[in-house]
Amino acid sequence: MTLLSFQDGERFIASSSALLHEAGITLTVGYDFAEYKTILQDARPDHLLGLPFDPETHDLNETNAFWIVGRNAKGDVMHTQAMRMLDLKGAKLAEYLRRSFVEFPPPGVDIDFLRSRYRAGPGAQRIAGDVCYHGEFWVGTTPREFRNAGLSSVLGRYAFWQAMQHWDPDHVIAFMT
């Protein structure tokens, strides 16, 4: 007889994998953001890659960033998201963003950064340590193929699980337009 003990992460991956397999979705995790940019240009030509994940602006590699692409049973891209570690340089998140909020503009939104400023909420004033930034989250393809299917929470948690496996951050942050 063999006794097996499953950790929470193993249970999550097993149940998530079954759900994604049932929906015909395969996920790829990658580290080459030039490749990610090409995938986005082909799959979402109207989408601008967010500045936090632009390989021409940042040195993104397997030590500090990854992307996830989901494909449906036909091989079409139906999901994207990316994560990267932020170097707070010992500061609280509030101070880091006060100095560098212009590095996180929402893609496709025109903002006058000379007349803008960042004001931190209480959460950002408490956040310190290893912080991971989550962005580029999208679910789509043919008209509403996977919308309202309950997959967005699984896909988001999968990225959080990957971040835990890669870096074990103290916090994960994101912005919404």
Side-chain angles (χ1 to χ4, degrees):
M1 172 166 42
T2 303
L3 297 175
L4 300 175
S5 173
F6 289 102
Q7 301 299 321
D8 290 338
E10 292 165 330
R11 283 191 188 110
F12 168 73
I13 288 303
S15 64
S16 297
S17 295
L19 181 67
L20 295 171
H21 178 74
E22 188 177 301
I25 298 170
T26 57
L27 298 180
T28 303
V29 176
Y31 307 95
D32 181 345
F33 278 80
E35 177 184 358
Y36 180 65
K37 191 172 187 176
T38 301
I39 291 169
L40 288 178
Q41 288 170 342
D42 292 341
R44 302 176 61 197
D46 58 334
H47 174 72
L48 297 171
L49 176 64
L51 182 60
F53 299 105
D54 186 345
E56 295 173 20
T57 305
H58 302 285
D59 181 22
L60 304 170
N61 56 60
E62 63 275 354
T63 65
N64 65 1
F66 66 84
W67 49 261
I68 298 171
V69 169
R71 296 183 184 274
N72 64 14
K74 294 180 271 182
D76 300 325
V77 173
M78 54 69 60
H79 169 66
T80 63
Q81 63 182 314
M83 292 194 139
R84 68 174 262 219
M85 292 300 291
L86 300 179
D87 183 4
L88 302 186
K89 297 181 179 11
K92 300 271 188 182
L93 180 63
E95 178 59 23
Y96 172 81
L97 289 175
R98 188 188 65 72
R99 289 190 320 259
S100 60
F101 76 97
V102 297
E103 296 176 20
F104 298 89
V109 177
D110 189 25
I111 295 176
D112 182 351
F113 285 112
L114 294 176
R115 294 180 26 206
S116 301
R117 65 187 176 122
Y118 172 80
R119 290 193 320 181
Q125 294 173 8
R126 290 189 299 268
I127 291 175
D130 296 326
V131 177
C132 183
Y133 174 71
H134 182 227
E136 293 292 313
F137 192 92
W138 171 78
V139 177
T141 61
T142 59
R144 309 193 72 70
E145 180 180 11
F146 293 107
R147 301 257 185 199
N148 301 323
L151 293 174
S152 61
S153 63
V154 172
L155 293 167
R157 283 188 228 141
Y158 181 79
F160 295 167
W161 180 81
Q162 283 288 340
M164 296 301 291
Q165 301 310 301
H166 282 78
W167 310 299
D168 194 22
D170 299 312
H171 304 276
V172 176
I173 66 161
F175 295 112
M176 295 176 67
T177 305

